[in-house]
Amino acid sequence: MRLERLTLENFRSYTKQVFHFGQHTVIVAPNASGKTNILEAIYLLSSGVSERASETSQMIRFGQDLASVSGVVENNEERIELSVVLTPGVYLGKATSKRRYLVDGVVRTRAKFCGQLPAIMFRPEDMRLVEGSPARRRAFLDETLSMAHQDYGRALTVYEASLRRRNKLLDGMREGVVKREQLAYWDQSIIKNGNILSDYRRAFLEYLSQVKTSFGEYQLEYDASTISPSRLAQYEAQEVAVGYTLVGPHKDDFGIISNHKFSNSQMEMGRDLMVYGSRGEQRLAVLFLKLGTLQYIEEKMGVKCLLLLDDIFSELDEKHRIEVVKMTEGRQTIITTAEEDAVEMVTGAEIVRLTQDK
């Protein structure tokens, strides 16, 4: 699978621009030249979401009310066009969807759109995946599993919508305007879909725990917030008091345990890298997570992922850079960098140079 062409219209800093990509492409530009916007657009075509924007309107060029990102993807001599159309929620005075997903011009749900262009993004912010917030780690799980499994994406969409509705009702119960019986349908929905999410997350973390690397072995420990009728009943009074749901996959987390092998063949078992890992050890764990994710998606989907490296070499020492370069072998890779030295690390790459915002 290969991304041939990317077209941006009123997306971020770009008015209209077309980019073409080879097997390995390095985009070289100073900071604030729009290179990260290109990878954000590609990831949008892959996952249906932005890893940067909290609101859709942030991706639309200032002063515009419509933007689009389109890509032509080649897979086994077949070509498809993926598009995402963005609005702030209103277009030509009428309420409209903020995001419309199209495959060859046909509107699709996000769940059916995801997976047409499997891609893994590696960016400087990911270096905080190990020591960052649980929400960051949950997003990592959701993005990976939604790409690899349509039914996970559907369950996640329904779970999140049901959770919002249930929280609104809990808030109403706190105010005395909603009866307990009104929660019944939403209880069933979050239990059913929440358990689907939990099952996939558990299996994925067990898979990662079996991945072997040249720089260490790791155990992923799933800290699941179990959801069931009894658990909801257990926390009913507290949920009404605070006005939101206290248990379920939206409270999940996972731990990263290092099983480090010393030169004398002894193993150091069970060291929690979130608590006891050095910065360098935590970065190696992030490399492990990215490598394992690549293997998982490629195994489940039967295709090679597109690898997106967003100015990542500036965050790594020579040893870690070499490990990242190994990840580019055998798969299409698009790299952004402000460093000329990084160009030499990927042999035979096509070079694209940006000078200013488009």
Side-chain angles (χ1 to χ4, degrees):
M1 182 169 292
R2 188 171 73 87
L3 177 64
E4 291 184 355
R5 184 176 74 236
L6 177 72
T7 302
L8 308 179
E9 294 190 39
N10 293 325
F11 182 82
R12 292 285 189 181
S13 57
Y14 292 92
T15 303
K16 185 169 184 178
Q17 187 74 13
V18 179
F19 297 94
H20 297 269
F21 304 105
Q23 181 67 7
H24 289 157
T25 303
V26 180
I27 302 171
V28 186
N31 292 328
S33 296
K35 59 184 185 294
T36 295
N37 298 342
I38 299 171
L39 296 195
E40 179 186 16
I42 297 171
Y43 195 72
L44 181 65
L45 292 178
S46 174
S47 66
V49 298
S50 166
E51 85 293 350
R52 298 168 65 200
S54 58
E55 296 289 341
T56 299
S57 58
Q58 295 171 358
M59 293 183 279
I60 302 173
R61 185 176 173 87
F62 182 76
Q64 302 296 318
D65 54 8
L66 185 73
S68 67
V69 175
S70 299
V72 175
V73 178
E74 183 183 72
N75 185 19
N76 295 328
E77 299 184 355
E78 294 184 1
R79 300 168 84 245
I80 61 172
E81 182 174 15
L82 306 176
S83 301
V84 181
V85 179
L86 309 169
T87 77
V90 177
Y91 183 63
L92 298 179
K94 297 182 179 181
T96 185
S97 174
K98 292 184 178 182
R99 301 182 192 182
R100 294 177 70 235
Y101 304 103
L102 300 95
V103 179
D104 287 333
V106 179
V107 176
R108 302 291 189 189
T109 63
R110 182 192 160 200
K112 291 186 177 180
F113 182 84
C114 292
Q116 303 289 335
L117 177 65
I120 297 297
M121 171 83 85
F122 197 174
R123 58 202 180 112
E125 293 87 343
D126 290 331
M127 290 303 175
R128 296 181 55 201
L129 185 57
V130 173
E131 48 83 23
S133 69
R136 188 182 293 268
R137 289 184 288 278
R138 286 193 296 270
F140 162 73
L141 296 175
D142 289 339
E143 290 171 12
T144 301
L145 293 169
S146 293
M147 192 177 304
H149 306 284
Q150 284 191 8
D151 47 350
Y152 183 93
R154 285 191 293 267
L156 179 63
T157 298
V158 175
Y159 180 84
E160 290 177 339
S162 300
L163 185 65
R164 288 192 296 270
R165 181 60 181 164
R166 188 176 190 273
N167 287 345
K168 186 174 181 179
L169 291 174
L170 284 170
D171 195 45
M173 289 177 64
R174 182 175 59 176
E175 300 297 325
V177 296
V178 171
K179 295 182 179 180
R180 176 67 181 85
E181 293 76 16
Q182 292 178 252
L183 288 180
Y185 174 83
W186 306 107
D187 286 355
Q188 293 176 12
S189 181
I190 63 171
I191 290 170
K192 175 184 176 181
N193 291 284
N195 285 328
I196 292 173
L197 302 184
S198 297
D199 289 346
Y200 271 108
R201 289 176 178 181
R202 182 175 291 104
F204 175 49
L205 294 173
E206 289 175 354
Y207 176 96
L208 289 179
S209 295
Q210 304 304 312
V211 172
K212 306 299 182 184
T213 74
S214 62
F215 49 83
E217 297 180 11
Y218 301 86
Q219 184 74 27
L220 282 296
E221 294 188 347
Y222 185 24
D223 183 10
S225 179
T226 305
I227 189 166
S228 65
S230 60
R231 285 269 285 172
L232 291 179
Q234 177 185 352
Y235 286 91
E236 179 179 341
Q238 294 96 315
E239 288 184 337
V240 173
V242 297
Y244 55 84
T245 306
L246 293 174
V247 297
H250 62 290
K251 296 291 186 179
D252 280 356
D253 197 2
F254 65 87
I256 305 176
I257 309 302
S258 173
N259 297 330
H260 181 73
K261 187 173 184 178
F262 293 103
S263 57
N264 61 2
S265 299
Q266 292 180 334
M267 294 291 288
E268 176 197 50
M269 305 296 289
R271 190 156 61 93
D272 187 343
L273 293 181
M274 294 181 188
V275 180
Y276 301 108
S278 67
R279 185 172 178 82
E281 289 171 326
Q282 289 176 347
R283 289 188 170 197
L284 277 177
V286 173
L287 288 178
F288 157 77
L289 290 173
K290 291 295 180 178
L291 177 62
T293 300
L294 273 174
Q295 292 183 12
Y296 179 84
I297 292 179
E298 291 176 351
E299 180 180 306
K300 296 300 181 181
M301 302 190 69
V303 296
K304 288 290 186 180
C305 285
L306 170 60
L307 181 60
L308 307 173
L309 303 178
D310 186 16
D311 204 18
I312 200 66
F313 291 127
S314 64
E315 296 289 320
L316 302 173
D317 57 24
E318 186 66 21
K319 176 183 177 182
H320 295 155
R321 287 186 177 195
I322 292 172
E323 294 293 342
V324 172
V325 170
K326 289 179 182 178
M327 295 169 66
T328 70
E329 297 174 359
R331 55 180 59 89
Q332 187 183 22
T333 306
I334 302 173
I335 302 167
T336 67
T337 183
E339 301 179 17
E340 290 291 339
D341 292 347
V343 175
E344 301 174 1
M345 297 198 66
V346 184
T347 304
E350 297 181 10
I351 309 301
V352 175
R353 296 186 184 276
L354 304 180
T355 57
Q356 59 183 7
D357 290 352
K358 300 295 182 182

